[in-house]
Amino acid sequence: MTAIRGLGYLIVQSQDLPRWRELTVDCLAMQETTGPVADGLYLRMDERHARLVVLPGDVDRVVAVGWEVRDQFGLAEVAAAVEAAGVPFKELSQEECDERRVEAAIRFDDPAGTPVEVFFGPVLDHSPVLTGHGQRFVTSEQGMGHVVLPTTVVEETVAFYTEVLDFLPRGSIRMGAALPPRRVRFMGVNQRHHSLAVCPAPHGEAPGLVHLMMEVDSLDAVGRALDKVNKAGFSLSSTLGRHTNDKMVSFYVRAPGGWDLEYGCEGMLVDEAFYTAEEITADSYWGHDWSGSEPLAAFLPPA
């Protein structure tokens, strides 16, 4: 079993922090807190100080995808595996760790060029979590949620996460009818169906993101957020629907930078004693109309 326990945090850089704040705080009802960058956006979901951090910058890019391990022994295990694979890594300085509110962390790039951080010892904030819709985010042993990352070197990227970092394969979906087949690969590290997916797609000059998924505890919270998103004039990449693999009822909204935030509920829990990897042939049982997201819709299998 992997030493990595879950998605711990995501740090991105954006040219439009006011719009990010409107989306995440006003519409998706995350709690804004403070951090070391005075004009940065620090977003709280649970007892962690900030799960999502948006920093100001002149390019929209992923700064770090943070994966959590149990303790210093788990961190050493991951560092040894990365080193044995010939991937250079660095230990984060005390200042960098303090910025992330963790005890210790290492940093390296995956084969697609996405900056990855692995850490342990998050600093907790025990004050009440004040979410805008009164919702509870589903985190804890399932981690922050999941990320879908683009890559132009799919096989190398999947091999790195499964063979070096020991992520567990959790199925796939074939993209279109091209030969040889192209697939989105889903991978898990806990009972959440997938904490990571890798999508064959370019990510431009800067490391990018396909989407970040956040799960809440009720359909009503999803509906309230959807109403807010529509009222605020954000573009829906996908309408409300239920996925076939993780059973999540969710919608996708386009964030500044061209990435999506998936907001959902009712995700399934995987029992590894019985689970086998599957290839789904439709991304959803119902809903999830992607016609508002032409680049992604072109990759999906025919309905």
Side-chain angles (χ1 to χ4, degrees), residues 1 168 170 190-193 268-277:
M1 188 67 176
L168 297 169
R170 293 268 174 84
N190 52 46
Q191 283 192 292
R192 189 181 292 283
H193 178 273
M268 70 175 287
L269 298 178
V270 170
D271 185 343
E272 271 300 320
F274 303 101
Y275 180 81
T276 58

Side-chain angles (χ1 to χ4, degrees), residues 25 28 48 74 152 166 172-173 195 208 226-227 230-232 242 298:
V25 179
L28 304 184
R48 306 296 174 88
T152 56
D166 289 333
S172 66
I173 184 170
S195 296
L226 182 56
D227 283 350
N230 285 325
K231 187 174 181 179
R242 185 186 291 276

Side-chain angles (χ1 to χ4, degrees), residues 7-12 20 23-24 28 30 43 45 50-54 62 64-67 137-139 143-150 192 194-197 208-215 243 246 248 250-255 258-264 290:
L7 179 64
Y9 56 76
L10 177 66
I11 306 173
V12 300
W20 264 98
L23 174 58
T24 54
L28 304 184
M30 303 179 76
L43 298 161
M45 301 169 68
R51 289 282 196 173
L52 175 60
V53 177
V54 187
V62 173
V65 180
W67 298 99
F137 285 95
V138 179
T139 56
M144 175 187 179
H146 74 236
V147 287
V148 179
L149 303 176
R192 189 181 292 283
H194 55 280
S195 296
L196 170 69
L209 180 71
V210 177
H211 76 253
L212 164 69
M213 186 283 296
M214 297 173 286
E215 183 178 358
H243 281 306
D246 65 1
M248 192 78 66
S250 63
F251 66 89
Y252 292 70
V253 57
R254 182 59 50 92
W259 309 325
D260 287 340
L261 298 182
E262 180 186 5
Y263 200 82
W290 292 96

Side-chain angles (χ1 to χ4, degrees), residues 11-13 55 61-65 100 107 115-117 207:
I11 306 173
V12 300
Q13 180 180 289
L55 300 176
R61 67 183 181 92
V62 173
V63 175
V65 180
R100 289 155 176 76
R107 181 182 176 91
V116 177
E117 294 179 358

Side-chain angles (χ1 to χ4, degrees), residues 175-176 237 254 288-302:
M175 299 171 72
S237 296
R254 182 59 50 92
H288 284 146
D289 179 355
W290 292 96
S291 59
S293 180
E294 294 181 6
L296 183 56
F299 292 123
L300 294 174

